[in-house]
Amino acid sequence: MSSLATDMNQGNGQSVPLTRDGESLLFPALPYDMHDRADRAVLDEQRLRFVNHATLLKDNARKKLAKEVFGDEHGEWRTLAGRIKQHTLENLDYYLNRFIDNAEAAGAVVHFAKDAEEANSICLEIVEKEKLKTCVKAKSMVTEETHLVPALEEAGVETLETDLGEFILQLDGDAPSHIVTPMIHKDRVAVAKAFERELGAAYTEDPGTLTQIAREYLREKYQKADLGISGGNFMVAETGSVVICTNEGNGRFCTTAPRVHVAFVGIEKIVPGLNELSVMLKLLARTSTAQPLTCYTHLMTGPKREKEHDGPEQMHIILIDNGRTKILADEEFREALRCIRCGACLNSCPVYRKVSGHSYGAVYSGPIGAVITPLFKGLENYKDLPGASSLCGACYEACPVKINLPELLIKLRRDMLAGKVTKRGERLAYKVFSMGLKSEGMYRMTSWVQKKLLRAMADNQGFIRKAPGPFKNWTRDRDLPAPAKESFRDWWRKRERYR
Ligand code: SF4
């Protein structure tokens, strides 16, 4: 759904690279250690400014629109949307079968892929059988999951991303860092340089002119392409339709101009019928980009019919599992599959705003990424992600389908402790901490000792400038204020005494 906004970031076109030695941004070696990239991201003043500015802007616009449109009923709409998705997930086999029957009746060919590799192989078989050579592709996070573009290119299919943000990232050999605004970490100078270098365009930083350059370049490619790839924001069981929501019209071009259309869709994207779809569309656009509706909402039901002029001759839908049924089988985490990838939890998250998307080392970042990446790829491979949250609850408040992200993150932390994924020293610290919290006497004593120690470390301005040992990172980029001389408990006791 991304677009090149006229208020896009202005910098010097260069961000500090977060990876070392050609490491992949979204598919790093496992187990993944988040600290290295996060440390570099927080020191990159320009990246911080871009991400902070754009996410705050979007978060405020979302809140304003929610108040204007939903008023006091916003909570009820979120509850309704959450219930629709939860109900569909609880009955996923029924709705998927219904979807398959109706999609096939409309002339689509439906495939099922258990993992990323199988999804790509199905697509490559279609490519080979139909002798396809050129592909235009709409934005799709699930194709990032399957790593589709490199697979197509390796098979000799010239593949072009057509979402403006993704197109720029492709020219720069970069990767998306936000679910909805993939190039949130870049600025107009970087775009100008990429267009000049890769497309031979005259240098300009004007967003309108840059958009026009991309539009003219892409228009010709749509006309030549014989394969169109899209994702799917939703699938409608009642009609067998795949729905995509875009703001640039590129999705419509990709799925109608080429001879063959292949839609990659996660199995959790299903909704029962058109009534339920209308609830989801209302919430998706308003939460994601603060629009009443996206500029284009495209429902595709089968390929073109006899006597129809437009549309593909073939429509293939690849339903992708890739770890989803494992999450579905777990009652505690099932609700994570309600996600409609609106990106609002990323925009509201104070941690995402500071470390930005590539620090998460995976396709999905922010609070939802911190939950689903360890579930997809193993807690032992992404053990920093459940801790990449202050648990402030802003993501839960923002989520249009009411996924209780902070609670899911706490459950992951619990599982890490139980599965001994957490380091030994940290486990010991938690044990001591929980003992301290269980007894009032112990709590008082440890608080008193802690206060004395921290105050002894502070300088005469009341700040600890250098924390010792394992806590040294706390004071690397900021000063830590020492605890007040009088604790809240002492103050409260005194207040009670003199009342
Ligand atoms: S978890 Fe909720 S807020 Fe985050 S992307 Fe998914 S639907 Fe949006």
Side-chain angles (χ1 to χ4, degrees):
M1 276 197 290
S2 74
S3 60
L4 207 58
T6 43
D7 63 347
M8 74 179 294
N9 299 317
Q10 177 75 65
N12 64 13
Q14 280 172 343
S15 273
V16 175
L18 295 190
T19 51
R20 294 180 197 267
D21 307 327
E23 181 193 30
S24 161
L25 278 166
L26 306 186
F27 299 91
L30 300 179
Y32 174 66
D33 182 343
M34 183 183 190
H35 293 88
D36 191 38
R37 287 193 199 177
D39 281 354
R40 291 204 226 182
V42 294
L43 294 177
D44 182 351
E45 184 274 325
Q46 190 166 264
R47 181 187 295 259
L48 260 177
R49 182 159 51 81
F50 294 169
V51 178
N52 214 39
H53 171 75
T55 48
L56 271 173
L57 203 74
K58 281 172 183 295
D59 199 39
N60 288 334
R62 171 188 63 79
K63 287 180 191 154
K64 189 165 167 270
L65 194 78
K67 205 177 261 174
E68 280 168 19
V69 177
F70 296 113
D72 295 339
E73 288 174 7
H74 190 211
E76 275 101 30
W77 277 95
R78 290 171 61 228
T79 305
L80 175 64
R83 283 201 187 137
I84 291 171
K85 285 294 287 181
Q86 192 70 23
H87 163 81
T88 321
L89 291 168
E90 309 284 348
N91 301 281
L92 194 61
D93 50 349
Y94 168 76
Y95 286 113
L96 273 177
N97 281 325
R98 198 156 177 227
F99 171 80
I100 293 168
D101 288 348
N102 288 326
E104 288 180 343
V109 184
V110 184
H111 311 259
F112 184 81
K114 66 175 185 311
D115 55 26
E117 217 168 59
E118 197 175 357
N120 289 351
S121 311
I122 293 167
C123 186
L124 293 176
E125 273 168 32
I126 299 167
V127 162
E128 205 181 307
K129 190 164 165 240
E130 297 300 320
K131 301 188 175 32
L132 306 172
K133 295 270 174 267
T134 327
C135 168
V136 279
K137 182 181 164 292
K139 185 176 177 314
S140 148
M141 292 310 285
V142 80
T143 56
E144 297 290 345
E145 245 182 82
T146 70
H147 221 24
L148 176 67
V149 176
L152 283 171
E153 302 243 285
E154 207 176 299
V157 182
E158 186 197 325
T159 306
L160 195 73
E161 295 280 3
T162 61
D163 169 273
L164 197 43
E166 296 276 357
F167 173 60
I168 293 158
L169 293 175
Q170 190 180 26
L171 291 180
D172 259 354
D174 204 340
S177 68
H178 188 286
I179 298 174
V180 176
T181 329
M183 51 162 284
I184 196 168
H185 59 288
K186 287 180 115 65
D187 65 339
R188 64 176 81 177
V189 180
V191 181
K193 284 181 181 170
F195 281 13
E196 186 186 40
R197 190 185 65 237
E198 301 293 327
L199 308 181
Y203 187 90
T204 172
E205 292 174 17
D206 174 52
T209 316
L210 289 168
T211 306
Q212 192 56 33
I213 294 168
R215 180 174 293 191
E216 279 164 23
Y217 181 83
L218 290 170
R219 183 62 59 116
E220 196 199 320
K221 302 285 177 184
Y222 292 124
Q223 286 158 353
K224 278 195 189 148
D226 43 20
L227 170 64
I229 299 273
S230 77
N233 292 86
F234 302 101
M235 293 183 285
V236 186
E238 183 187 19
T239 59
S241 315
V242 174
V243 184
I244 54 171
C245 306
T246 73
N247 276 323
E248 298 166 14
N250 64 311
R252 192 165 285 184
F253 262 131
C254 288
T255 55
T256 51
R259 186 161 63 80
V260 179
H261 168 215
V262 181
F264 278 61
V265 197
I267 51 170
E268 82 284 13
K269 291 295 183 78
I270 205 143
V271 290
L274 293 172
N275 284 340
E276 290 79 9
L277 176 69
S278 70
V279 175
M280 294 300 159
L281 291 177
K282 204 169 184 151
L283 280 158
L284 175 66
R286 285 160 207 207
T287 314
S288 181
T289 43
Q291 293 169 286
L293 268 184
T294 44
C295 298
Y296 301 87
T297 302
H298 191 34
L299 276 80
M300 296 163 287
T301 316
K304 98 172 147 184
R305 319 268 194 296
E306 225 180 300
K307 294 193 186 140
E308 279 181 352
H309 293 296
D310 300 318
E313 288 164 20
Q314 291 179 31
M315 179 184 185
H316 296 263
I317 303 164
I318 306 181
L319 299 174
I320 298 167
D321 181 344
N322 207 26
R324 286 158 174 82
T325 46
K326 199 176 103 201
I327 302 178
L328 187 72
D330 189 329
E331 277 184 29
E332 276 196 315
F333 289 104
R334 188 176 297 160
E335 69 175 282
L337 293 178
R338 285 188 215 157
C339 178
I340 55 172
R341 309 278 189 260
C342 72
C345 59
L346 280 69
N347 298 335
S348 68
C349 176
V351 176
Y352 175 87
R353 282 184 195 152
K354 294 288 167 279
V355 301
S356 70
H358 292 156
S359 295
Y360 292 77
V363 171
Y364 302 105
S365 55
I368 186 64
V371 170
I372 59 174
T373 304
L375 292 175
F376 278 151
K377 300 202 165 185
L379 256 179
E380 67 288 358
N381 288 324
Y382 281 92
K383 53 182 186 298
D384 299 323
L385 294 198
S389 165
S390 65
L391 303 179
C392 67
C395 52
Y396 180 41
E397 288 299 316
C399 182
V401 284
K402 268 195 158 172
I403 301 174
N404 196 335
L405 292 156
E407 198 175 281
L408 297 182
L409 288 166
I410 291 171
K411 285 178 179 165
L412 284 175
R413 292 182 193 185
R414 175 205 64 195
D415 290 353
M416 280 179 61
L417 272 176
K420 306 210 165 132
V421 178
T422 311
K423 283 187 199 136
R424 227 167 137 209
E426 208 177 324
R427 282 209 310 273
L428 192 72
Y430 287 141
K431 211 168 226 171
V432 173
F433 189 57
S434 78
M435 272 162 57
L437 285 180
K438 275 180 198 153
S439 131
E440 195 194 337
M442 186 83 92
Y443 177 75
R444 274 193 205 188
M445 193 185 77
T446 46
S447 309
W448 185 82
V449 173
Q450 196 186 43
K451 187 175 83 181
K452 290 280 171 203
L453 278 174
L454 289 172
R455 285 188 64 79
M457 275 186 246
D459 61 13
N460 52 13
Q461 287 168 317
F463 282 99
I464 300 160
R465 311 282 178 191
K466 249 189 187 170
F471 306 108
K472 65 177 187 297
N473 278 355
W474 287 10
T475 48
R476 193 193 59 182
D477 306 313
R478 59 195 178 282
D479 298 324
L480 183 67
K485 199 170 176 188
E486 185 178 43
S487 72
F488 176 77
R489 291 170 67 93
D490 296 339
W491 173 81
W492 187 260
R493 211 177 296 123
K494 219 187 305 167
R495 179 178 173 273
E496 292 294 293
R497 207 178 296 147
Y498 295 118
R499 252 152 65 108

